[in-house]
Amino acid sequence: MATHAVPPLAPFSSRPARMKPGHWVLLVLGVLLTILGLGLTVGGAVTLGANAAQRDGRYLVGDTENYRSTGYALTSPSVVLDAGSENMSALPPLGDLASIHVRVSNAVPDTEVFVGIADVSDIDVYLQDVARSSLGETTFVAADPWPGRSPWAKDTARTTAGNRVPEPPGKQEFWRVSASGPGAQEISWDLEPGRWALVVMNADANAPVWVDLQAGARSDLLGPIGTGLLVAGLIGLVLGIPLLLLGTAGLGRDIDAARPVTGQGPGAALAEHAGRGQRAFSVYPLSFTGVLEGRLSRGLWLVKWLLAVPHYLVLALLWVALVVTTIAAGVVILFTGRYPRSWFCFNVGVLRWSWRVGFYGYSALGTDRYPPFTLARADYPADLDVAFPQRLSRGLVLVKWWLLAIPHLLIIGIFTSGTGATWNGGWEDGAELSSNTWGPSLLGLLVLIAAVLLLFTGRYWHGLFALIMGVNRWVYRVSAYVLLMRDEYPPFRLDQGPFDPTVAAPEEPGPVEGNEIPGPGNQPPTSR
C-alpha cells in the first residue's frame, strides 16, 4: 500500500488568522451575483426554449388530466382580463400577446362532449341552481374505471348543490368559442378583456361528467422575455464570478499568511513530525482529527440544529464559492498542472469549517463547544488539513471527480444517504427500479444511537464514536479527491478513531554483508 508523509496535525499555533473584511465583501457579493445570474440564465434559456417550441402556431401544452364530477358541468375559476387602464394602453391588444388552447375528450365511450368559453355572468345565469363542480378544486379519489383506464381520477372536492337540469349547452348562443361532438374536441381562443370561464359538459347536458382535459397556451412575449432574462443572467455571471474568485483568493491568502511557522502553507502541519526530524507516514495526505469531549450535555443535541443555523447559512454561501473555485482551479490545472495556492487554501478552509460544524452537530455530536466562525485553523477539538500538491496530473482532472470516484461515491451514498431502491413488478415487461426515502442514513443512524445513549446515560460510547469518525474520515478523503486537491486515490479503508492512523516509514535498503541471503525488508538495491 502506498504511504504518504502526512502525520497528524501539529499543535495549534497561537498566531491568529486575520480575515480582511474586504475579501468577505467580495465573496458575498460574488456569490449572490453568481446565484442570481445563474438563475436568470437558466430561466432565460428555458423561456427561449419554450418560445422555440411554439413556433409555427404550436401551443405549449401540459399533461392530460382526468376529471370527474357528479354534477352536470365542470367550470374553471373565472379569469379577469382588463386592458382598459391608461398604463395598459401602450401595450398591444391582449389577443396579440397570448392565446390558449383546450382539448377535451369524454372518458365515457360513445358520449359526446362539449367545451366552451363564455362571460362569467352568462355562465352563472345558464347554470343557476345546477349542480356543478370547479376544475380548480380537485382531489384524487378511487373510481370504477372503464376497461383499460386508470383506477384513479380527479374528482371535485366541492360540488355546488342544485336541483335543476340545464338545457344542452350547444343550443346556447352566448359562447365566445365552443366545440361539441364525439371524440376529442378542441378550442383555441385569443385573450380578450372581460371576465371569462371555461365550461366542460356532456353534449346532452346529462350527469355525471367524466373527461380527459389538456390545456395549453402560447405567447409572443416569450421571446423578448427570454432574451432579457438571458442577457441579465450573463451580466450577473460576468460580474459575479470574478468577484467571487477574487474574494476566495484573498481569503485563501489570509489563511496562508496565518500558517504555522514551520512548513510551507496548507498542510504544513502535516509535513513535520514531532520526533527527531523523522516523518510519519499516513495512508492519505489529508489529516482529519476529532477529539471526543470528556463530558457532554445530555440534551443539548436536541437544539443544536437551531444553534447551528448561522453556520449553515454561512456554509451555504461558502459551498457555492467552493464549487465555482474548484471549476476555475480545474481549468488552471488542465493547462498548468498546478492548483492555485490561494484557492487551495480557501477550499481547505471550507472543508475545515464544514467538519467543525459537523463535529459539533449531527455528523458526530463530539463536542458542545460552539464552532468558531473562521476558515483558518483554530483551537478546537476537530480539525482538518490537506497537504498542498506541488504538481497535479492534467489528464486526471477531467475524469477523477466523477468517473474514477464512482466506487467511492456509491459507498458514501450508502453511508450518508437515506434513500433505498425497490424493484416493482417482477421481471416481466413494465417492471422498474424505483427509489424511495425510507429513513436515516447509516451515519445518521449511528449518530442517532449515540444521541439516545447520551440522553439516557450521559455517556458516549468510545467504540461508536471511533466508528463514526471512520465514516466521516472516508467521506472527507473522497471529498478532497473529488475537489481536485489530490491525485492520490483514496483508500478503501474505514480508519476509525480520533486521529489518522500512521504506519512506519519504509526502511532504506542496506548493503548485504558476507553470505547473508537478502530477505524481505533487506533487499539490495536493484541495478539499473
Side-chain angles (χ1 to χ4, degrees):
M1 177 181 294
T3 57
H4 309 274
V6 182
L9 286 165
F12 170 69
S13 172
S14 60
R15 185 178 179 182
R18 298 184 58 184
M19 304 290 174
K20 296 180 180 179
H23 296 156
W24 279 107
V25 172
L26 289 175
L27 175 67
V28 173
L29 288 177
V31 169
L32 295 179
L33 284 174
T34 299
I35 294 175
L36 179 62
L38 182 61
L40 292 176
T41 301
V42 173
V46 171
T47 305
L48 289 176
N51 182 62
Q54 67 173 11
R55 290 177 180 173
D56 302 326
R58 290 175 294 179
Y59 286 84
L60 302 174
V61 296
D63 295 331
T64 299
E65 300 286 354
N66 185 262
Y67 294 91
R68 183 185 184 191
S69 171
T70 56
Y72 292 91
L74 285 165
T75 61
S76 71
S78 61
V79 177
V80 178
L81 302 175
D82 184 9
S85 64
E86 295 181 0
N87 295 331
M88 299 287 290
S89 60
L91 294 178
L94 290 176
D96 295 338
L97 298 180
S99 61
I100 64 172
H101 180 82
V102 180
R103 183 180 188 274
V104 180
S105 59
N106 209 312
V108 181
D110 302 325
T111 303
E112 296 184 358
V113 68
F114 170 88
V115 57
I117 296 176
D119 190 275
V120 172
S121 59
D122 295 327
I123 294 175
D124 289 340
V125 172
Y126 171 60
L127 296 178
Q128 184 177 6
D129 297 329
V130 174
R132 51 175 164 162
S133 304
S134 175
L135 290 170
E137 299 175 352
T138 58
T139 184
F140 283 97
V141 298
D144 293 329
W146 294 96
R149 298 191 60 83
S150 170
W152 294 94
K154 281 190 174 181
D155 200 358
T156 59
R158 182 181 304 170
T159 301
T160 302
N163 54 14
R164 186 175 71 87
V165 178
E167 297 180 0
K171 295 183 178 180
Q172 311 305 311
E173 299 180 354
F174 57 78
W175 300 107
R176 187 66 184 86
V177 60
S178 64
S180 178
Q185 299 297 312
E186 301 181 11
I187 59 173
S188 298
W189 178 61
D190 295 334
L191 300 185
E192 299 178 22
R195 188 163 175 250
W196 308 93
L198 175 75
V199 177
V200 179
M201 302 174 62
N202 293 325
D204 56 6
N206 288 330
V209 180
W210 192 359
V211 297
D212 293 325
L213 187 147
Q214 183 185 51
R218 68 182 315 276
S219 174
D220 294 334
L221 294 178
L222 292 183
I225 291 175
T227 302
L229 291 176
L230 186 62
V231 171
L234 292 177
I235 292 175
L237 292 176
V238 169
L239 295 176
I241 291 178
L243 291 177
L244 185 154
L245 295 178
L246 287 174
T248 58
L251 292 173
R253 287 191 295 270
D254 293 341
I255 299 171
D256 201 16
R259 69 183 183 272
V261 177
T262 58
Q264 300 181 4
L270 311 178
E272 298 295 332
H273 183 47
R276 298 187 182 181
Q278 298 294 324
R279 288 186 177 185
F281 283 74
S282 176
V283 295
Y284 200 71
L286 175 143
S287 182
F288 187 85
T289 62
V291 180
L292 181 64
E293 190 171 320
R295 190 171 184 82
L296 295 170
S297 169
R298 289 174 178 253
L300 184 61
W301 63 270
L302 294 170
V303 295
K304 281 186 175 180
W305 64 270
L306 179 61
L307 300 177
V309 166
H311 279 285
Y312 295 149
L313 296 177
V314 176
L315 284 174
L317 294 176
L318 292 177
W319 271 91
V320 172
L322 178 141
V323 171
V324 176
T325 303
T326 300
I327 295 173
V331 175
V332 176
I333 296 170
L334 184 63
F335 289 97
T336 68
R338 296 182 182 275
Y339 203 123
R341 191 183 197 86
S342 58
W343 290 346
F344 185 91
C345 292
F346 172 80
N347 287 352
V348 172
V350 176
L351 291 181
R352 182 184 293 121
W353 194 326
S354 301
W355 168 230
R356 287 184 191 139
V357 175
F359 189 76
Y360 170 80
Y362 302 103
S363 291
L365 293 177
T367 183
D368 288 339
R369 290 178 56 187
Y370 199 69
F373 285 86
T374 179
L375 294 163
R377 295 190 62 211
D379 184 12
Y380 196 73
D383 208 351
L384 178 149
D385 210 348
V386 183
F388 180 72
Q390 297 301 321
R391 297 285 299 180
L392 290 171
S393 169
R394 299 184 183 185
L396 281 179
V397 73
L398 298 175
V399 294
K400 68 179 182 180
W401 58 273
W402 66 280
L403 179 61
L404 300 183
I406 286 177
H408 278 290
L409 295 178
L410 293 176
I411 295 174
I412 288 178
I414 297 174
F415 286 163
T416 62
S417 173
T419 300
T422 56
W423 183 263
N424 299 324
W427 297 102
E428 66 275 5
D429 293 340
E432 61 180 7
L433 183 67
S434 61
S435 62
N436 53 75
T437 301
W438 55 269
S441 63
L442 173 61
L443 179 60
L445 183 61
L446 294 175
V447 174
L448 178 61
I449 294 173
V452 173
L453 292 174
L454 184 63
L455 179 64
F456 289 100
T457 68
R459 299 176 58 189
Y460 200 131
W461 287 2
H462 288 275
L464 182 58
F465 174 76
L467 178 58
I468 290 173
M469 283 295 299
V471 173
N472 280 292
R473 182 173 286 112
W474 194 322
V475 171
Y476 276 90
R477 284 175 179 171
V478 176
S479 298
Y481 181 76
V482 171
L483 294 174
L484 312 180
M485 294 180 176
R486 303 294 306 189
D487 280 345
E488 297 85 353
Y489 199 70
F492 288 90
R493 292 176 49 135
L494 191 64
D495 291 320
Q496 304 181 45
F499 301 103
D500 294 306
T502 57
V503 295
E507 298 181 2
E508 295 292 335
V512 180
E513 298 182 1
N515 296 326
E516 181 182 357
I517 299 176
N522 190 26
Q523 297 287 348
T526 303
S527 60
R528 296 180 181 273

